[in-house]
Every structure is written in C-alpha cells, then in structure tokens.
Amino acid sequence: MKRNPSIRQVASVAGVSVATISRVLNDKGPVRDSTRDRVLAAIESMGYVPHSAARSLSTRRTMSFGILLPEVHGEFFSELIRGIDLAARRSGYHLLVSSSHSDPAEAQAVLHALHGRVDGLIVMTPGNGKVSPPTRFPLGVPVVELSSRIPSKLNDSIRIDNRGGARSATEHLLDLGHRRLAMICGPPENSDAHDRQLGFAEALFDHGVALDPALLLPGDFRELSGFRAGSAIADLQHRPTAVFAANDAMAVGCLSALRGRGLRIPEDVALAGFDDIPIARFLTPGLTSVRVAIAELGARATERLLAAIEGGSTSPRHHEIVPATLVVRGSTSNPTNPLRGNEP
C-alpha cells in the first residue's frame, strides 16, 4: 500500500463507491450511519489523507482565508491573528497570512497572489484612503475590510472608534488637571493614527487648551519611536505633565525612556496609550490605555467573512464601528497626587 492511498483504494476496502467516500469527507448528501462508520474506519486504518486540491474542485472551497495586514510585528497583530485563527479553526478553515509593509503596491501584489487560493479575505489597510477603488480586490471573493476609512460598498467592514477612544483618553488627562499635554503620533499616512490625533486635538479644543505643535511628536507605532519621543520629552526645558501615545507599543518605549532619565510615572509625567495590548496591565505602573478587544475584533471579522461566504454576493453588506473604552491604571494621575487605577 502506498504511504497515502488513493480514494479509489479506500472505496475498495470500505466496499463503497468513490462518491460515497466524497459524501462522507465533505459531510454532504445522505449516508447511512453504518456506511459512514465503515468508511471512517477504512480511512483511519489506511492513513488516507484527502488531497486538498482535488477536494476543493469538488466542494468549490479551499477552506482557507487570506489575511493581509500592514505588519505582522507586535502584540496588536499577534492578538488579531489569534482571534481570527481561533474563530476560523472552529469552522474548519486555515489561514494564509501576509504583510504589505504598509506599501499599496505590495498589498496589490499579495491580493493577486492569493486569488484562487482562498475562499475569502480579511484585509487591514488603514492607510488606503488614496487606494480605495473596489477593483483592487479580486472579483468574486468575499472581503472584510478592517480599519478602512472609506470601505468599499461591495465589502463588509469593521473599524475601531479611534477618534472617540483618543478623545476619552485625552479628556481623562485633562480632568486630572493636566494642561500641558504631548502626543506621540502614529504614521502620517495611517488613518487610525490620523483619527486618534483628531480625537486628541478635539478634546484639547473643547477644554480651552491650546494645542502646541511642538508637543506633537512623530512616531511609527513601534517601541523605538516611542523611546525616541520619550527621550525628546525628557530633554525639554518646559516638559509636558502628561503624554498620550497613539498606541501602546510607543507608550512602552516612552515609559522606558522617561524612567531611564530618572522621571517618575505618573508623578512627573502621566502616560496613556491606545489598544490595551496584553502587556499593558503588567507594566510598572500599569498602563492606562484605550481598550480595543483585539482578539474579539479578529473573531468578529471572521464571523462576518463566513457569513459573506455563505450568503454570496446577494447578502447585504455590514459596516460596523467597534467602540473603544478607557481603562485607567497607575500610569495616570494628577500632577501632584497619584491616583490608583480602576483595574490591576
């Protein structure tokens, strides 16, 4: 017997037709329980592994999702992939994951490469405001867009309330009595970063606090840019009393730089981030952050994609905004009297 016998050999041993083997494997069509048990026993004893390409021809499904992200580095993306993977596995799907490195041309190349290999796509392109035509997605492939500022009308979409979340973090710092606030911004071409900066500016304006352009520090959503921004803040003669970082990775870098310069968090500088990645609660002090249920976001995108695959092109499209809520921990207090956060 070959290492992987053919479906005809399995059918011969089980005493059934090839069509019956196919019905058992695909769980489609009427099969008696006794026959099913005999087929499964033959499959197990012979070590038969269905050929995925042949199976996809009969079912018209690859049982795979394509996942296109701007990056795969960092806790946010690992949590997002974890949420997608757990939900996909429950439905028997596997993932093909790729990164565009925030390059629209690379994103297009990845989408082209995935065409025909997947049953659907989950695509995060937060910087795609300039590349929004729906024709850039493979025709006939269900797509769920994450964090797209202008999602295609042909696809489902889910995005985070970045503006409202950033506003709540900034208002928290203002309510504590801070009036000189800095922000570590994200990549200028990224729509999530853009909306978080808008929320920050709106909160300052509504509280009658002038926005100092010198306190808008550049960042790229990575720890090193947060560290550089924190070092720049520590060197200022007139330092801000509070810093809002556009994501937690930069907040972690900023925290390291400030403490390395002998500054206390939150007594000398209060610090807040965005995303509430898992490590945020384990820092010392715990990081105040705007919580996005990242794994749940991935699971929700998967559920929407499954519904789109089952419903086909005639099913209505869904566009959803996921709320972001502030979690207060020990990294924020008023300038003179540290407060305990509301969560460990």
Side-chain angles (χ1 to χ4, degrees):
M1 187 72 66
K2 294 187 295 184
R3 177 171 295 181
N4 186 25
S6 71
I7 191 171
R8 293 185 182 279
Q9 289 173 311
V10 176
S12 176
V13 170
V16 298
S17 67
V18 170
T20 299
I21 300 291
S22 180
R23 285 197 294 271
V24 171
L25 290 173
N26 297 319
D27 196 24
K28 290 186 176 181
V31 179
R32 292 178 182 178
D33 290 343
S34 59
T35 303
R36 184 183 303 278
D37 292 342
R38 194 165 69 251
V39 168
L40 293 176
I43 287 172
E44 183 176 359
S45 66
M46 299 174 70
Y48 173 68
V49 178
H51 191 283
S52 59
R55 189 174 182 183
S56 67
L57 286 174
S58 63
T59 64
R60 299 183 182 273
R61 295 278 175 88
T62 66
M63 300 307 294
S64 298
F65 290 160
I67 313 298
L68 175 58
L69 303 173
E71 297 287 347
V72 293
H73 165 81
E75 277 200 87
F76 178 91
F77 292 112
S78 65
E79 274 292 287
L80 183 68
I81 293 170
R82 184 175 72 87
I84 294 171
D85 185 56
L86 288 173
R89 290 297 180 92
R90 286 195 293 268
S91 298
Y93 276 82
H94 297 272
L95 306 183
L96 297 177
V97 182
S98 189
S99 169
S100 68
H101 305 288
S102 300
D103 180 348
E106 182 64 22
Q108 191 65 60
V110 171
L111 291 171
H112 179 75
L114 289 174
H115 194 202
R117 300 184 181 186
V118 296
D119 297 328
L121 292 161
I122 296 175
V123 180
M124 175 177 273
T125 52
N128 73 343
K130 298 178 181 178
V131 194
S132 58
T135 51
R136 67 188 186 87
F137 296 110
L139 292 176
V141 179
V143 176
V144 174
E145 298 181 60
L146 290 177
S147 296
S148 294
R149 174 177 290 178
I150 309 174
S152 166
K153 294 180 180 180
L154 301 178
N155 304 321
D156 289 342
S157 69
I158 305 175
R159 61 188 177 93
I160 301 162
D161 183 12
N162 292 292
R163 198 165 175 172
R167 186 185 181 104
S168 67
T170 309
E171 288 176 342
H172 166 67
L173 295 171
L174 291 165
D175 290 342
L176 289 172
H178 296 281
R179 289 298 178 269
R180 184 164 172 79
L181 281 71
M183 179 177 179
I184 306 175
C185 305
E189 72 281 359
N190 184 288
S191 62
D192 288 346
H194 178 269
D195 288 347
R196 291 172 194 182
Q197 188 170 330
L198 279 179
F200 175 77
E202 286 175 351
L204 293 182
F205 180 83
D206 289 347
H207 282 72
V209 177
L211 174 62
D212 185 348
L215 295 181
L216 293 176
L217 294 103
D220 61 8
F221 280 163
R222 296 196 177 196
E223 292 88 345
L224 182 57
S225 66
F227 185 89
R228 289 170 175 161
S231 299
I233 289 168
D235 289 337
L236 290 174
Q237 186 173 3
H238 185 26
R239 282 194 305 267
T241 61
V243 178
F244 170 56
N247 79 339
D248 286 349
M250 295 192 298
V252 169
C254 180
L255 175 66
S256 176
L258 293 175
R259 294 184 68 174
R261 298 298 187 90
L263 294 172
R264 300 169 301 165
I265 309 296
E267 294 90 342
D268 297 319
V269 182
L271 178 64
F274 200 113
D275 288 335
D276 196 32
I277 59 177
I279 199 175
R281 69 190 62 193
F282 299 114
L283 297 173
T284 303
L287 180 66
T288 293
S289 183
V290 178
R291 172 173 290 171
V292 177
I294 306 169
E296 292 177 23
L297 177 67
R300 191 173 304 190
T302 303
E303 291 164 3
R304 287 266 26 102
L305 185 58
L306 285 167
I309 290 172
E310 294 300 326
S313 59
T314 59
S315 62
R317 301 278 70 89
H318 295 263
H319 303 286
E320 183 177 356
I321 299 176
V322 177
T325 56
L326 182 69
V327 178
V328 178
R329 299 192 181 97
S331 68
T332 54
S333 73
N334 64 40
T336 58
N337 182 25
L339 302 176
R340 179 179 293 178
N342 63 11
E343 182 175 317

